[in-house]
Amino acid sequence: MGSAGRGESLLHPDQDNGFILADHADAEPESIDRFFNELAQRFTRGLEQAGFPLCEGNVMATNPLWRKPLAHWQAQVNGWLRARGNQEIMFTDIFFDFRAISGPPELAVALRRHVTMAARDNLPFLAQISWLQKDHAGSVDLFGQLIARDGAEKDAIDLKLRGSKPLVEIVRLLALKNGVEATGTPARLTALAEAGILAGEDAGRLSEDVTFLLELLLRHQIERTSARRVADNYIKPESLGRPERERLVQVFRHIDRWRQHLVADYFPGLG
């Protein structure tokens, strides 16, 4: 799930995972759950030993919320879409990009199809995400200068929070609204362009923006790990050359325009 499901994890990931269980008779639910709970414990410990920290938000298969049969997953998704609270929005933000890595593929296929159709038919839910996009603070001031307000010293830009995450959310929202099942951002953009939902120029620009942000983040994280420092997402504007700063300003302005477009054109009167 999360960025790993989109193929966009860099050098600062944690664990987001879950189990989709085949529907089974209720005669032995406790023994079945004990088995998969133990499997989840081994699985997450193994990932931790391999360098993937445990998720601080407990979004892992060791948590029953993220370990259940297909029918229960479908019901839980329906509940999240109806509730539309902050916690449910957070859960869907993580869950909607899930990708199957092992086991019978038909379980993930069935859940993906259910998620796609349920979200597509729930305009109030999509409008809620759209309005949250509108409320995100921009990172460019009125004079076209980058605003650095993140990190311990409040002198950096969290490039994931301010840049790559909002862009990914914009593309995801467009995909959900139009019934696109793909999870990777490039795949979503390709599908949206092929369906005529996005102009080829818009899809290309969004793809270039995402690539630029990910390359900046990866270079920054490699530099930190090479210096034996913990990889993070905080980039100081002065560490960038002038062309990169100007390009970053363009990307942030592009994000702001898409936020306004989503709210004004896609979900008028909803929220």
Side-chain angles (χ1 to χ4, degrees):
M1 289 178 276
S3 57
R6 294 188 306 272
E8 297 164 6
S9 285
L10 299 179
L11 302 183
H12 190 53
D14 64 355
Q15 295 189 43
D16 289 329
N17 52 67
F19 288 169
I20 309 172
L21 310 181
D23 292 327
H24 53 265
D26 292 333
E28 301 177 345
E30 293 183 2
S31 61
I32 292 173
D33 191 62
R34 279 197 301 271
F35 172 85
F36 283 105
N37 182 39
E38 175 60 27
L39 178 61
Q41 296 287 347
R42 295 181 181 181
F43 175 66
T44 53
R45 284 198 300 268
L47 285 175
E48 183 181 25
Q49 292 169 0
F52 293 87
L54 298 175
C55 175
E56 294 183 0
N58 204 20
V59 181
M60 298 178 292
T62 49
N63 180 350
L65 185 69
W66 302 95
R67 181 186 73 246
K68 58 191 62 190
L70 175 61
H72 294 189
W73 268 116
Q74 292 169 332
Q76 181 163 282
V77 168
N78 293 342
W80 286 344
L81 296 182
R82 284 194 303 269
R84 303 197 303 274
N86 289 339
Q87 185 175 56
E88 287 80 14
I89 294 293
M90 179 188 69
F91 287 157
T92 58
D93 180 65
I94 298 168
F95 173 76
F96 277 5
D97 290 339
F98 79 84
R99 180 180 61 170
I101 60 172
S102 183
E106 59 269 17
L107 293 176
V109 169
L111 185 53
R112 170 59 57 197
R113 184 168 297 118
H114 178 84
V115 167
T116 302
M117 296 309 298
R120 183 179 187 175
D121 293 337
N122 195 321
L123 284 181
F125 169 76
L126 296 177
Q128 180 78 3
I129 300 176
S130 176
W131 278 106
L132 289 175
Q133 277 284 334
K134 176 178 177 293
D135 291 338
H136 288 170
S139 296
V140 178
D141 64 21
L142 294 175
F143 303 100
Q145 300 297 312
L146 293 170
I147 302 173
R149 55 170 174 265
D150 302 314
E153 304 298 326
K154 304 299 181 184
D155 60 352
I157 298 173
D158 186 332
L159 207 57
K160 179 178 179 181
L161 178 66
R162 312 288 180 186
S164 61
K165 188 174 187 289
L167 267 180
V168 164
E169 289 172 345
I170 286 167
V171 177
R172 179 199 293 136
L173 180 57
L174 290 169
L176 290 172
K177 182 179 184 294
N178 292 281
V180 172
E181 293 190 3
T183 56
T185 301
R188 282 172 168 160
L189 287 169
T190 297
L192 289 165
E194 289 177 348
I197 297 161
L198 274 182
E201 182 180 352
D202 287 335
R205 176 66 182 276
L206 285 166
S207 179
E208 290 172 359
D209 287 350
V210 172
T211 299
F212 171 74
L213 292 174
L214 292 179
E215 287 177 350
L216 273 188
L217 273 170
L218 183 58
R219 187 184 71 190
H220 167 74
Q221 292 179 354
I222 289 173
E223 289 173 352
R224 286 187 64 86
T225 55
S226 297
R228 300 185 181 277
R229 303 172 70 184
V230 176
D232 61 27
N233 303 315
Y234 301 114
I235 291 183
K236 297 182 179 181
E238 62 268 23
S239 71
L240 303 175
R242 181 176 178 179
E244 289 178 327
R245 291 197 301 272
E246 292 177 349
R247 178 75 174 92
L248 191 54
V249 168
Q250 292 176 352
V251 170
F252 284 141
R253 284 177 168 168
H254 197 208
I255 291 172
D256 288 338
R257 286 196 297 270
W258 268 103
R259 286 171 176 158
Q260 295 167 12
H261 169 65
L262 290 173
V263 174
D265 296 345
Y266 278 73
F267 307 104
L270 290 176

